[in-house]
Amino acid sequence: MSGHLQITDLTVDFGGFTAVKDLGLTINKGELRCLIGPNGAGKTTTLDLICGKTKPTRGSIKYDGKELASLEEYKIARAGVGRKFQIPSVFKQLTVYENLEVANCKNTGVFANLFRPGHSSHRDGLEKLAEFVGLADQLDLPAAYLSHGQTQWLEIALLLARDSELILLDEPTAGMTAQETHKTAEICNRLKGKHTIVVVEHDMGFVREICDVISVMHQGQLLAEGTADEISADPQVREVYLGSMGIGDA
Ligand SMILES: Nc1ncnc2c1ncn2[C@@H]1O[C@H](COP(=O)(O)OP(=O)(O)OP(=O)(O)O)[C@@H](O)[C@H]1O
Ligand SMILES: [Mg+2]
């Protein structure tokens, strides 16, 4: 049951403006949920609420049965919730390996089994992690020399090194080339089942590549939920967001 997220009646009011209103979401362990919707719909605010950056006015965010809504941000992180922000948080002057090591030091749980099978060493675990995000050849390179895409993958690896079970990604493919976007989709797909993931995105080709279930937000509320085909065919979603294009093929 570890990794289960249950959001009920989640509401946040910013001085009279309700950015998220009576939101309900149930995301199962190991599920990858895409959160889409027009600009200002409340997607980023929802991630802010889950990771504790913003406190809700009312409502509940239960993670594995534990109420997060009243917890401080660092305690939510300690409970296994990891958020990738749009602004990179890597140490530019440190190498890829050193960045992973620093992140892993902050890890309070058991380092993901995925990367430490049997009795392999600490270094082995971090090398496997770098390999997992396609940075095996850049281990000793200062992060300053990574491309935009590689920096984003390192960010994801840092969340894994911190042992985050629930991973929140806000527009992970922003600024990426088509090839980098595809590689990011592959990483997301390999994380499925092992981690619970919430991805906010505007790139519908990418969404199509990774999604199981999509939740659509509009004006702070949940407008629709379903598979890519169901969402593409939903007249309300077309009207407020997708237009007639639907969710494109990857
Ligand atoms: N701290 C705040 N104070 C006041 N209003 C805010 C605050 N944070 C967000 N908002 C407003 O809440 C609404 C939702 O913003 P949010 O950033 O969650 O949208 P979004 O769905 O992520 O949009 P986008 O796709 O453009 O990133 C916007 O109208 C925004 O201006
Ligand atoms: Mg946003």
Side-chain angles (χ1 to χ4, degrees):
M1 152 93 172
S2 163
H4 182 85
L5 184 68
Q6 176 95 50
I7 293 175
T8 336
D9 297 329
L10 190 64
T11 300
V12 69
D13 222 86
F14 294 122
F17 175 76
T18 309
V20 173
K21 190 166 190 273
D22 302 326
L23 182 71
L25 288 174
T26 302
I27 304 177
N28 293 317
K29 174 184 165 54
E31 185 184 339
L32 186 155
R33 177 68 58 92
C34 286
L35 198 54
I36 69 168
N39 296 118
K43 306 179 298 294
T44 296
T45 306
T46 300
L47 298 192
D48 289 345
L49 288 164
I50 298 170
C51 76
K53 186 172 170 248
T54 299
K55 287 289 151 201
T57 307
R58 63 166 190 273
S60 158
I61 304 164
K62 281 211 168 121
Y63 182 61
D64 288 341
K66 184 179 192 173
E67 182 57 68
L68 301 185
S70 51
L71 287 187
E72 287 160 85
E73 202 172 352
Y74 77 93
K75 284 186 181 159
I76 295 176
R78 203 176 275 172
V81 178
R83 164 82 178 276
K84 183 178 115 37
F85 288 93
Q86 273 158 316
I87 301 159
S89 64
V90 302
F91 294 109
K92 292 268 179 197
Q93 64 284 23
L94 299 186
T95 66
V96 166
Y97 181 78
E98 288 163 345
N99 267 286
L100 290 171
E101 217 171 17
V102 170
N104 192 221
C105 284
K106 294 180 186 162
N107 156 28
T108 49
V110 186
F111 187 36
N113 297 330
L114 181 59
F115 304 109
R116 283 190 90 174
H119 301 286
S120 62
S121 69
H122 179 72
R123 168 122 196 154
D124 277 356
L126 295 183
E127 281 176 2
K128 282 210 178 63
L129 189 42
E131 202 177 301
F132 182 83
V133 296
L135 295 175
D137 295 338
Q138 285 76 27
L139 266 180
D140 298 315
L141 192 70
Y145 295 106
L146 297 177
S147 70
H148 171 71
Q150 288 172 328
T151 307
Q152 305 306 306
W153 302 327
L154 177 56
E155 289 270 338
I156 294 173
L158 296 183
L159 296 179
L160 300 174
R162 276 184 217 122
D163 227 6
S164 304
E165 270 185 321
L166 171 65
I167 293 183
L168 310 172
L169 304 176
D170 197 355
E171 301 193 31
T173 73
M176 284 189 178
T177 63
Q179 204 179 8
E180 287 172 333
T181 298
H182 177 64
K183 216 175 136 181
T184 306
E186 283 180 347
I187 293 171
C188 287
N189 281 328
R190 276 186 275 128
L191 285 173
K192 266 189 210 175
K194 298 168 189 97
H195 292 264
T196 307
I197 314 162
V198 183
V199 183
V200 169
E201 255 302 338
H202 285 290
D203 180 334
M204 289 307 121
F206 175 72
V207 167
R208 170 74 81 170
E209 241 185 300
I210 62 171
C211 72
D212 303 313
V213 175
I214 299 171
S215 299
V216 187
M217 286 185 74
H218 178 52
Q219 295 178 345
Q221 292 182 288
L222 187 67
L223 180 72
E225 204 163 84
T227 63
D229 289 335
E230 285 163 0
I231 293 301
S232 290
D234 186 307
Q236 271 190 304
V237 178
R238 280 171 171 250
E239 191 184 327
V240 305
Y241 185 52
L242 292 176
S244 56
M245 296 187 314
I247 297 172
D249 284 321

